[in-house]
Amino acid sequence: MVTDIQETSISVINDIYAQQKSYHRTVGKTTASERIKKLKKFQKNILKYRKELQDAMWKDFRKPAAEVDLTEIYPVFTEIRFAIKNLRSWMKPTHVSSPVTMIGTTSWIQYEPKGMCLIIAPWNYPMQLLFAPLVSAIAAGNTIILKPSEFTSHTVRVMKIIIEETFDRKEIALVEGGVTISTALLDMKFSHIFFTGAPEIGKIVMSAAAKYLSSITLELGGKSPTIIDETANIKAIVQRITWAKFINAGQICIAPDYVIVHESKKEELVQSLSNQITKHYGSDAMHSPDYLRIINAKHFSRLKAYLENTIKQGGKVVYGGTLDEAENYIEPTLVTDLPLESDLMQYEIFGPILPIITYKNKEEVIELINSREKPLSLYVYSQSKKNINYFMQNTSAGGSCINMSAVHVGNPNLPFGGINNSGIGKSRGHYGFIEFTNERAMFNQKFPSAIQLMTPPYTEFKQKLIDLTIKYF
Ligand code: NAD
């Protein structure tokens, strides 16, 4: 898995930045039709390079072509189609009513672009997580510099071709590089920074943004729990959990990070998950064309250490556990009997290892979840409305699914994002458009203002008017 990224030079970045700086107001004045035209061209060029994208992601980490279609191209197309359908109404000023004391005025919200934007993306969904926010930023009328992850060099190369064939760089440009380039970009003044990645790096981005008071969207990660209660129908749900955990070899921000299952269902769950994993990837996932590799040696070693430390701390591997360093391969793995202090229960896993812990009382679940950072996602599998309500009302998360995992991100009518440690701000659909937009408050004084009746000097008559206003309006 080669990662020979062709780092963009600082002088080229400075040049792009200067061009975008002098062009962003022109882009900001574009009409809905002009932006829609750009989105259509973008979609056409992504489709043109579908095969190249599939080949590149296979080379980067053996992502199967079907998953490139379903989880990279399709979500971006969903965003493009949704924006094309709704952009005219999103851009239209929203008129709002005024209080009676403001009689003779009109007020409305005007949607103006934030201006110069920076999008920094991770490697796990290298195209989706770069291009989906890009759609929102284009729809909102911004100029954009894109900085994909340095770990998926083949995919980056194809995305660069797509961007360069579709857009002029004075409007949208993709720059290549790792931490050095990212740091150099974060040193520049942007109106908005949209970052997807780890919470620790999110903090670096947030402090960099503070320098210019740039607004930020932070799409971060963490440990997303899956609760399975005593009423859950294991047979019916096991495929959903297996799919969400082991697709992309677990390298998903909204994968079930760990399962907390009612003790009465543990044995059935372990057995069913084991059978289901074998159904998806065969008895030897290493030879399955549908199973990915870990992105690189660094992440492979991180996961290996989590697993080894957890086993030392008492964890039992009840399925899988085979690792191949030469291939960055980790078999889908289930671990039980692990202490809460173990590595697998302390750190975001972001890989194909699923810890399964048990509970007796619902209160234990709440205590565990609420003693940790608020998760990006929280899933509940249950047939009891009462239990579902209890788990939802007593926890907080960026998003949740009931009797499903991860697919909420696919509904463009829902906001996507985290809360606090798992993220700040929301993306996708209209929420993404708003994130890249300044909702400008507009106020027009059409007739003489009532304020004129209450300006100094405060005579007795004016004081009476003020008294009446306070009392009645
Ligand atoms: P990462 O934070 O290491 O890297 C993300 C981006 O930041 C990359 O482009 C990288 O070059 C850049 N970067 C890394 N270190 C930097 C630094 N010190 N200064 C400036 N820039 C830096 O994340 P990753 O390993 O690519 O992705 C995994 C993490 O991302 C996980 O925590 C996962 O949960 C999270 N994630 C979140 C979402 C979401 O939508 N919320 C989606 C995917 C991944």
Side-chain angles (χ1 to χ4, degrees):
M1 269 129 243
V2 198
T3 51
D4 51 334
I5 209 86
Q6 291 165 3
E7 196 170 274
T8 310
S9 71
I10 297 291
S11 68
V12 169
I13 293 176
N14 285 337
D15 192 39
I16 292 168
Y17 185 88
Q19 286 184 21
Q20 296 200 351
K21 193 171 178 191
S22 53
Y23 195 63
H24 78 272
R25 289 206 186 278
T26 310
V27 179
K29 285 178 216 151
T30 48
T31 61
S33 303
E34 287 167 315
R35 295 179 197 178
I36 287 169
K37 208 167 138 201
K38 276 185 227 169
L39 290 173
K40 284 185 176 163
K41 188 176 173 197
F42 186 32
Q43 184 172 20
K44 201 168 136 234
N45 281 343
I46 293 173
L47 209 52
K48 178 176 162 193
Y49 285 98
R50 178 178 173 189
K51 177 81 177 67
E52 285 79 359
L53 286 165
Q54 290 171 344
D55 291 347
M57 285 187 231
W58 180 264
K59 284 183 193 147
D60 279 330
F61 53 153
R62 284 179 50 121
K63 195 180 286 232
E67 284 180 25
V68 174
D69 283 346
L70 274 175
T71 65
E72 300 274 4
I73 296 177
Y74 179 64
V76 175
F77 280 15
T78 302
E79 283 295 297
I80 292 177
R81 289 182 183 122
F82 197 73
I84 289 174
K85 190 170 157 220
N86 295 293
L87 188 55
R88 283 193 173 80
S89 77
W90 294 347
M91 285 173 72
K92 215 180 267 167
T94 310
H95 282 265
V96 296
S97 58
S98 309
V100 69
T101 45
M102 291 182 174
I103 196 157
T105 69
T106 48
S107 290
W108 69 98
I109 301 157
Q110 198 145 301
Y111 300 97
E112 63 176 31
K114 283 198 171 162
M116 295 176 70
C117 297
L118 170 66
I119 299 177
I120 301 178
W123 50 265
N124 62 324
Y125 283 95
M127 178 183 145
Q128 185 201 147
L129 299 174
L130 190 73
F131 284 178
L134 175 61
V135 172
S136 302
I138 294 170
N142 298 284
T143 57
I144 304 120
I145 294 183
L146 299 160
K147 211 299 280 172
S149 169
E150 62 276 31
F151 294 156
T152 48
S153 59
H154 297 96
T155 311
V156 170
R157 213 146 299 148
V158 182
M159 294 194 299
K160 193 161 193 247
I161 293 169
I162 294 172
I163 292 298
E164 287 176 355
E165 258 187 42
T166 316
F167 307 106
D168 193 308
R169 73 180 196 172
K170 66 183 178 200
E171 201 170 327
I172 297 165
L174 185 152
V175 305
E176 286 186 70
V179 177
T180 317
I181 293 301
S182 206
T183 307
L185 287 164
L186 288 172
D187 215 26
M188 298 170 139
K189 184 176 180 179
F190 286 95
S191 306
H192 189 80
I193 303 170
F194 189 107
F195 170 82
T196 307
E200 308 79 64
I201 312 299
K203 289 174 192 172
I204 295 173
V205 173
M206 196 165 176
S207 2
K211 184 168 164 193
Y212 300 111
L213 292 176
S214 311
S215 56
I216 45 167
T217 311
L218 300 179
E219 293 284 0
L220 309 176
K223 292 186 82 61
S224 295
T226 292
I227 305 165
I228 302 176
D229 80 358
E230 67 281 10
T231 71
N233 180 346
I234 302 289
K235 294 244 161 345
I237 65 170
V238 71
Q239 190 180 19
R240 302 171 209 172
I241 299 169
T242 308
W243 169 78
K245 178 67 192 184
F246 297 106
I247 189 174
N248 223 41
Q251 300 165 111
I252 320 178
C253 57
I254 48 174
D257 183 274
Y258 62 95
V259 164
I260 174 156
V261 60
H262 190 269
E263 58 179 8
S264 63
K265 292 281 180 177
K266 180 192 161 193
E267 291 312 319
E268 188 189 355
L269 178 71
V270 169
Q271 196 51 53
S272 302
L273 280 172
S274 306
N275 294 341
Q276 195 66 41
I277 295 169
T278 309
K279 272 191 204 159
H280 285 201
Y281 303 111
S283 54
D284 183 4
M286 181 132 175
H287 296 110
S288 164
D290 301 328
Y291 189 65
L292 279 80
R293 296 300 180 255
I294 304 307
I295 189 67
N296 56 27
K298 182 181 142 211
H299 281 280
F300 174 87
S301 308
R302 176 183 63 81
L303 288 162
K304 184 171 179 247
Y306 289 175
L307 186 60
E308 286 173 354
N309 291 344
T310 301
I311 293 168
K312 275 188 211 138
Q313 289 160 311
K316 285 190 191 128
V317 172
V318 290
Y319 185 92
T322 306
L323 286 78
D324 186 327
E325 198 160 359
E327 281 249 0
N328 289 333
Y329 166 80
I330 299 182
E331 189 179 6
T333 298
L334 305 177
V335 181
T336 62
D337 300 286
L338 63 174
L340 294 180
E341 302 72 39
S342 60
D343 283 3
L344 285 176
M345 282 308 294
Q346 286 295 322
Y347 306 115
E348 179 183 7
I349 297 172
F350 216 64
I353 306 170
L354 183 63
I356 299 169
I357 55 172
T358 57
Y359 73 92
K360 281 190 179 66
N361 311 307
K362 286 192 297 226
E363 294 72 24
E364 280 173 58
V365 178
I366 301 304
E367 206 179 300
L368 169 69
I369 292 171
N370 291 347
S371 67
R372 292 161 173 233
E373 299 286 3
K374 290 173 196 160
L376 181 58
S377 304
L378 182 149
Y379 308 119
V380 175
Y381 286 88
S382 168
Q383 296 193 80
S384 154
K385 260 192 181 158
K386 201 172 141 223
N387 284 357
I388 293 169
N389 286 341
Y390 175 81
F391 291 129
M392 293 301 173
Q393 282 170 4
N394 286 290
T395 56
S396 176
S400 273
C401 296
I402 299 161
N403 290 316
M404 193 48 189
S405 302
V407 291
H408 58 302
V409 66
N411 184 349
N413 292 297
L414 283 174
F416 180 75
I419 170 162
N420 301 134
N421 198 69
S422 56
I424 293 176
K426 300 289 170 184
S427 62
R428 307 288 162 131
H430 188 229
Y431 298 92
F433 171 82
I434 291 295
E435 204 74 1
F436 284 100
T437 296
N438 175 38
E439 294 172 279
R440 185 170 179 169
M442 300 295 293
F443 183 91
N444 184 7
Q445 187 69 51
K446 287 179 140 178
F447 301 104
S449 165
I451 295 287
Q452 284 164 256
L453 298 172
M454 295 184 222
T455 52
Y458 299 113
T459 59
E460 213 172 298
F461 170 71
K462 285 180 182 175
Q463 187 56 55
K464 274 203 178 115
L465 275 181
I466 294 169
D467 291 347
L468 285 172
T469 305
I470 284 183
K471 201 161 177 190
Y472 296 111
F473 303 115

